[in-house]
Amino acid sequence: EPEVTQTPSHQVTQMGQEVILRCVPISNHLYFYWYRQILGQKVEFLVSFYNNEISEKSEIFDDQFSVERPDGSNFTLKIRSTKLEDSAMYFCASSGLVIYEQYFGPGTRLTVT
Amino acid sequence: QQQVKQSPQSLIVQKGGISIINCAYENTAFDYFPWYQQFPGKGPALLIAIRPDVSEKKEGRFTISFNKSAKQFSLHIMDSQPGDSATYFCAASMLNSGAGSYQLTFGKGTKLSVIP
């Protein structure tokens, strides 16, 4: 069964450093999302991406964040200058023709020290 | 108005019992209500979902009941098993037709423990 994959599974970085989180969505999907989950809290929407541009973004997704689909398979989330409060699980999700059915990857745990 | 309120925060059910998790929303523009199951260290997995034009949807042991007038929906797990022990999130979404995007708004989650 096709699935969303994410790398790395765990990333530790120092405050102020740039990180890139990578996702490979399900191959025939067209809509891509990033969500985050701070430990013990609910999953929060960050951004959606379609047709090579951002469709929607939340208040969390400020100028420090950017997304890119550098090739036909990868979808990345970049945090330019990480802060302690960026520590969270970051989930990539994708959906296809049934646009509202989103399938999540296993997540990347980001720890900012 | 974008919030989805979920209860209870945690739930302990005996094997074979019925687990019931409730959610409430305020935004009547929401038109898609999924439930996600999350095991520790894993991503949320789509479990079952409902659109507001039906009042109930059943898939195996999992049933969603939907009350449009009360703006509430619930997940029922029949014959609960220890393998069902996980965190369950309700969510709600509406199509942003201008953006072509279905942003999910999640509840805070319910940690279900099914004891033998």
Side-chain angles (χ1 to χ4, degrees):
Chain A
E1 186 176 318
E3 57 183 19
V4 177
T5 59
Q6 291 184 243
T7 55
S9 57
H10 190 191
Q11 174 93 45
V12 181
T13 190
Q14 287 192 325
M15 195 167 53
Q17 295 296 303
E18 174 184 288
V19 294
I20 297 176
L21 311 183
R22 291 184 166 80
C23 168
V24 179
I26 294 172
S27 64
N28 60 348
H29 281 188
L30 302 173
Y31 302 88
F32 313 113
Y33 304 83
W34 284 101
Y35 292 82
R36 80 171 185 190
Q37 184 180 30
I38 294 171
L39 187 64
Q41 298 188 24
K42 66 178 180 180
V43 180
E44 299 175 289
F45 169 79
L46 292 178
V47 66
S48 59
F49 190 86
Y50 170 69
N51 200 25
N52 282 320
E53 59 183 26
I54 290 174
S55 308
E56 255 186 311
K57 59 183 181 179
S58 70
E59 293 175 351
I60 303 168
F61 194 88
D62 61 22
D63 292 344
Q64 294 300 313
F65 291 86
S66 63
V67 289
E68 193 177 34
R69 187 153 163 83
D71 53 45
S73 58
N74 290 283
F75 179 50
T76 62
L77 174 69
K78 181 193 291 186
I79 309 175
R80 198 162 295 120
S81 177
T82 50
K83 302 188 276 284
L84 293 175
E85 53 265 38
D86 293 328
S87 294
M89 280 289 283
Y90 287 81
F91 294 107
C92 172
S94 69
S95 60
L97 291 178
V98 185
I99 179 177
Y100 44 82
E101 286 187 0
Q102 294 181 31
Y103 295 89
F104 282 71
T108 293
R109 179 172 299 284
L110 176 65
T111 303
V112 183
T113 61
Chain B
Q1 206 180 17
Q2 285 292 102
Q3 279 191 349
V4 176
K5 295 182 180 179
Q6 183 172 347
S7 62
Q9 190 173 347
S10 63
L11 182 62
I12 299 174
V13 173
Q14 284 213 313
K15 180 182 173 182
I18 302 173
S19 304
I20 302 174
I21 305 170
N22 300 298
C23 283
Y25 63 98
E26 294 182 0
N27 190 341
T28 55
F30 285 139
D31 64 357
Y32 174 68
F33 302 89
W35 285 89
Y36 281 83
Q37 179 189 56
Q38 186 180 33
F39 293 104
K42 304 291 186 184
L46 180 60
L47 186 63
I48 186 172
I50 198 167
R51 305 299 295 271
D53 51 345
V54 296
S55 60
E56 186 175 281
K57 183 174 181 180
K58 185 175 180 179
E59 290 183 3
R61 295 186 294 110
F62 300 92
T63 300
I64 300 179
S65 297
F66 185 81
N67 186 330
K68 190 173 180 177
S69 59
K71 292 185 283 186
Q72 294 175 348
F73 58 110
S74 59
L75 176 69
H76 296 235
I77 306 174
M78 312 300 286
D79 187 26
S80 300
Q81 299 296 313
D84 297 330
S85 297
T87 298
Y88 292 81
F89 292 94
C90 64
S93 183
M94 59 182 169
L95 177 64
N96 181 332
S97 57
S101 169
Y102 253 102
Q103 171 192 149
L104 287 169
T105 300
F106 282 86
K108 289 189 175 182
T110 296
K111 186 173 181 181
L112 171 66
S113 300
V114 181
I115 55 176

